[in-house]
Amino acid sequence: MTIAPAEVIAERHARVRDDVGPGVTVVVATKYVAAGEMSALVDAGVEVVGENRAQDLEEKHALYGNAFRWHFIGHLQSNKVKVVNALCELVHSLGSDSAARRLTVPALLEVNLSGEASKSGVAPDEIAEFVARYPLIRGLMTMPPLAADPESSRQTFRRLRELAAEHGLPELSMGTSQDYRVAAEEGATLVRVGATIFASERG
């Protein structure tokens, strides 16, 4: 993917931050940004990036290091935890005991609220057990079913907020480019946005 110029990225990033307000961290999802193009995000003043793959995380961190705060937002395999521990300040996608046992950085527990077999995450009734066992869990994350209308995600986000409150967890990672405004209205403390910020053309 060819990404937009730094000044365009800066403008879009500022707009998203204004949309969600000062209490929400905007995590720029860089799955489709080549390592060599990450410099545009530096120039645009992006502070927090989210990577989906451990291999890409290593490559990009080797080039840009402390230019960003690094989050891991993809499916976390237990054999990749060592990389994440070394490079990230937060994991958004904890979903297994095997990964949790190896983590040494704070994490958000991914919750599958839709019940879709294709989605990662734990069931709502498993949250208490994970939270009791792993004190590094700071909050919850979820991915609602894909929908054209952002309002379709509201009930999912509201349910995640209720579950987080029930378990005394302060952080909520929910909302992507399609529905981050609704997520912020429903209590997100982190939103994960990508193409809406850096794509060379608006989709």
Side-chain angles (χ1 to χ4, degrees):
M1 173 187 286
T2 301
I3 66 171
E7 59 269 21
V8 175
I9 295 171
E11 178 188 331
R12 293 174 181 171
H13 186 245
R15 189 179 307 138
V16 172
R17 292 178 70 164
D18 286 345
D19 285 344
V20 299
V24 182
T25 298
V26 176
V27 181
V28 177
T30 51
K31 178 178 180 179
Y32 298 112
V33 180
E37 293 190 303
M38 295 282 286
S39 58
L41 302 187
V42 178
D43 295 341
V46 169
E47 298 169 357
V48 186
V49 295
E51 268 302 319
N52 282 69
R53 303 184 187 95
Q55 183 177 347
D56 293 342
L57 171 64
E58 284 186 293
E59 180 187 6
K60 293 173 183 178
H61 190 277
L63 291 172
Y64 299 99
N66 294 330
F68 304 111
R69 291 157 51 200
W70 301 85
H71 290 199
F72 192 79
I73 61 175
H75 177 63
L76 182 61
Q77 297 172 293
S78 56
N79 64 344
K80 303 298 185 183
V81 171
K82 187 176 180 180
V83 173
V84 172
N85 283 339
L87 305 180
C88 293
E89 69 173 19
L90 183 68
V91 172
H92 290 234
S93 47
L94 179 62
S96 71
D97 272 302
S98 58
R101 284 195 297 269
R102 294 169 170 83
L103 267 180
T104 58
V105 294
L108 309 177
L109 187 63
E110 183 172 0
V111 184
N112 184 344
L113 289 176
S114 68
E116 293 174 271
S118 59
K119 284 233 173 24
S120 301
V122 305
D125 60 6
E126 295 178 277
I127 295 172
E129 185 179 350
F130 270 86
V131 170
R133 195 179 301 162
Y134 304 111
L136 285 170
I137 293 175
R138 301 283 190 263
L140 304 177
M141 183 273 266
T142 199
M143 290 286 292
L146 279 174
D149 181 7
E151 279 297 322
S152 300
S153 301
R154 189 176 295 278
Q155 283 302 113
T156 300
F157 295 153
R158 187 169 295 167
R159 178 60 180 144
L160 195 74
R161 184 188 71 211
E162 292 167 350
L163 287 167
E166 182 181 323
H167 295 283
L169 299 169
E171 302 292 343
L172 282 173
S173 173
M174 55 190 196
T176 58
S177 290
Q178 65 171 1
D179 53 19
Y180 69 84
R181 293 180 184 87
V182 174
E185 290 170 4
E186 291 300 331
T189 61
L190 305 107
V191 294
R192 309 174 305 274
V193 294
T196 196
I197 284 179
F198 57 69
S200 58
E201 295 181 4
R202 286 299 190 128

